[in-house]
Amino acid sequence: MKILYVSLFIILLDQMTKLLVRGFEIPSLGVKVEGMRIGETKQIIGDLVRITYTENPGIAFGINLGNKFYLTLFALIAAIIVFIYLYRVRNGNFTIRLSLGMILGGAIGNLIDRVFYGVIFNYGKIFHGRVVDFIDIDFFDINIFGYHIDRWPIFNIADASVTIGVLILLFSHHKESSQAQIEEIKPEMLESDAGNEKQ
């Protein structure tokens, strides 16, 4: 399953960028990266694209649905299900395998934060970590149901990978469904043509 290299690349990129933003220290190797303070913002392309360090106890894009332990457990089960499905389609359509590999990589990337960051950074128990988010992008000014949105919710590489993977999966499924319908129509057209020729 070479597609797992895609998952591994996403996990490594996700964790590397999170650690650079958050900061970390390895005293035994004399390594110390300062990182940013929570809430600190750095402009990349003016106000259009910024790095803003936040920590999210919930799911993707800052959405918080409550109990951290059950949320982490749900994310772990979801990652296992995606892996099993990826194994089952290991010889199937490349696009579908790619999308599943991206979803799996993103899921594991955020899962590492939730499971281990609390212990690693000494602020919580295992399974009670917070996800590091930092990609901050300008958005259209929208007023909907009393809420004003002018920036996209802050996210990370893992969130982006899962989102893109899901979109590719939906597009591939739609394309395959359309192709299947075309394949069903072709025999009917051939039979109709054959009938016309006999007449």
Side-chain angles (χ1 to χ4, degrees):
M1 292 208 312
K2 291 182 179 178
I3 207 71
L4 290 178
Y5 286 119
V6 172
S7 303
L8 180 61
F9 173 76
I10 290 164
I11 292 164
L12 292 175
L13 181 63
D14 176 65
Q15 287 300 308
M16 183 178 68
T17 52
K18 286 172 177 174
L19 290 173
L20 288 172
V21 168
R22 192 190 196 288
F24 65 96
E25 188 174 359
I26 309 174
S28 59
L29 298 176
V31 175
K32 185 174 183 179
V33 176
E34 287 296 333
M36 298 170 64
R37 299 182 309 278
I38 289 183
E40 184 180 351
T41 294
K42 292 182 180 178
Q43 293 184 331
I44 303 299
I45 306 174
D47 273 338
L48 179 65
V49 180
R50 305 186 304 203
I51 293 177
T52 301
Y53 171 30
T54 64
E55 289 188 347
N56 171 20
I59 59 173
F61 300 108
I63 301 166
N64 191 354
L65 296 179
N67 191 293
K68 292 179 189 176
F69 176 79
Y70 291 115
L71 183 61
T72 305
L73 190 62
F74 172 76
L76 178 60
I77 292 167
I80 291 168
I81 290 169
V82 171
F83 178 78
I84 291 168
Y85 187 57
L86 182 57
Y87 180 76
R88 286 186 176 176
V89 298
R90 62 190 180 278
N91 298 318
N93 182 296
F94 172 77
T95 309
I96 289 174
R97 289 185 292 120
L98 175 65
S99 65
L100 290 171
M102 293 180 72
I103 293 167
L104 182 64
I108 293 173
N110 279 340
L111 197 56
I112 290 169
D113 298 30
R114 291 191 187 104
V115 174
F116 301 113
Y117 272 29
V119 175
I120 292 170
F121 295 108
N122 200 30
Y123 64 76
K125 299 179 289 185
I126 195 164
F127 274 72
H128 286 77
R130 298 186 295 264
V131 175
V132 172
D133 289 330
F134 59 91
I135 303 171
D136 183 4
I137 296 177
D138 196 10
F139 194 63
F140 304 106
D141 284 353
I142 295 175
N143 288 299
I144 184 166
F145 304 120
Y147 292 98
H148 178 73
I149 302 169
D150 61 356
R151 300 195 71 81
W152 191 259
I154 300 170
F155 61 101
N156 56 43
I157 300 291
D159 295 337
S161 178
V162 170
T163 303
I164 293 167
V166 168
L167 290 174
I168 292 172
L169 190 62
L170 291 172
F171 177 76
S172 298
H173 179 70
H174 175 72
K175 192 174 178 183
E176 282 194 356
S177 297
S178 299
Q179 189 65 35
Q181 287 175 352
I182 290 169
E183 294 299 324
E184 284 177 12
I185 291 168
K186 277 182 180 177
E188 292 175 9
M189 289 175 66
L190 289 171
E191 287 173 12
S192 175
D193 289 345
N196 290 336
E197 285 176 9
K198 285 178 183 178
Q199 291 174 7

